[in-house]
Amino acid sequence: YYEVVTGIPTHGKSEFVDSRMLGLNLNYGYKCAFVSVENKPTVLHVDKIVRKILGYKPSRREHIDSEDYRRTVDYVNENFFFVDFRDGYDLERSLEKIKELIFRKGVKTFVLDPFNKIRYKGRVDNITGISINDYTASYLNIVGDFCSKYDVFGTLVAHPTKMKKESGKYE
């Protein structure tokens, strides 16, 4: 019910996930909720999805004023929802908002990008000395349970810390 996407920094993980969510939407009608700390401001994230649908960057006035462009923006607004918290992101609030979008808008997929910046503030954070493995296991269990309970597909994007590059290649 969920997947974790990771890879080398600046190699297109978020773009890949956006394309996957667009494919699930166009092929199966799955509406998607994005909780994306990475894609700010939201208007630029919307623009990226619009460009993927149109197949070009609407740069000239006649593009932006076209009926095709307006229909595409409307389509994105009806099928993709962008969760934005101005005072920080946490897993509990994010999942609560996704649950609301499941019931109100028919969302079937969601993205947490990057999930390592959307903290789990539940009981695990209050235990001193908890290992990163135990924290991650608890986090993934919560997401897995949520996906099962609400019959949705989740994508968690994991952005690693900077990787060492030796002789032009990553370790």
Side-chain angles (χ1 to χ4, degrees):
Y1 281 105
Y2 73 90
E3 66 183 352
V4 177
V5 174
T6 190
I8 297 171
T10 70
H11 278 61
K13 293 175 292 297
S14 297
E15 289 296 324
F16 170 76
V17 169
D18 285 355
S19 293
R20 288 220 352 149
M21 295 306 111
L22 181 56
L24 287 171
N25 176 261
L26 293 173
N27 290 310
Y28 304 105
Y30 289 4
K31 294 181 179 185
C32 181
F34 287 95
V35 181
S36 182
V37 181
E38 281 296 297
N39 286 297
K40 295 292 172 211
T42 300
V43 68
L44 295 179
H45 196 182
V46 170
D47 183 61
K48 285 169 36 175
I49 295 172
V50 166
R51 284 184 278 143
K52 282 177 177 53
I53 294 170
L54 289 173
Y56 63 88
K57 181 180 180 178
S59 55
R60 296 193 311 265
R61 192 78 194 153
E62 63 263 18
H63 290 154
I64 295 169
D65 289 339
S66 74
E67 181 63 28
D68 195 28
Y69 179 78
R70 282 193 294 278
R71 271 196 322 266
T72 304
V73 170
D74 288 345
Y75 183 85
V76 170
N77 288 330
E78 292 167 8
N79 289 278
F80 299 93
F81 305 93
F82 304 89
V83 176
D84 189 12
F85 299 115
R86 300 200 191 286
D87 58 343
Y89 291 78
D90 66 70
L91 182 61
E92 294 84 351
R93 259 193 341 163
S94 298
L95 293 178
E96 192 60 38
K97 186 62 178 176
I98 293 166
K99 181 174 95 174
E100 178 186 324
L101 291 167
I102 290 167
F103 290 115
R104 286 185 50 232
K105 301 292 185 178
V107 161
K108 291 298 285 176
T109 63
F110 68 89
V111 174
L112 302 178
D113 182 16
F115 90 89
N116 44 309
K117 286 189 180 177
I118 302 169
R119 301 285 302 170
Y120 169 48
K121 296 185 187 257
R123 60 181 171 73
V124 173
D125 269 0
N126 299 326
I127 299 173
T128 8
I130 187 168
S131 74
I132 189 69
N133 291 342
D134 289 341
Y135 173 86
T136 304
S138 293
Y139 193 108
L140 295 177
N141 283 336
I142 290 166
V143 171
D145 291 346
F146 180 87
C147 290
S148 294
K149 182 175 182 176
Y150 297 104
D151 193 28
V152 292
F153 178 69
T155 299
L156 287 69
V157 183
H159 290 252
T161 57
K162 290 195 177 220
M163 299 173 68
K164 292 180 186 174
K165 203 176 196 183
E166 291 186 21
S167 66
K169 294 186 178 184
Y170 290 105
E171 290 180 0

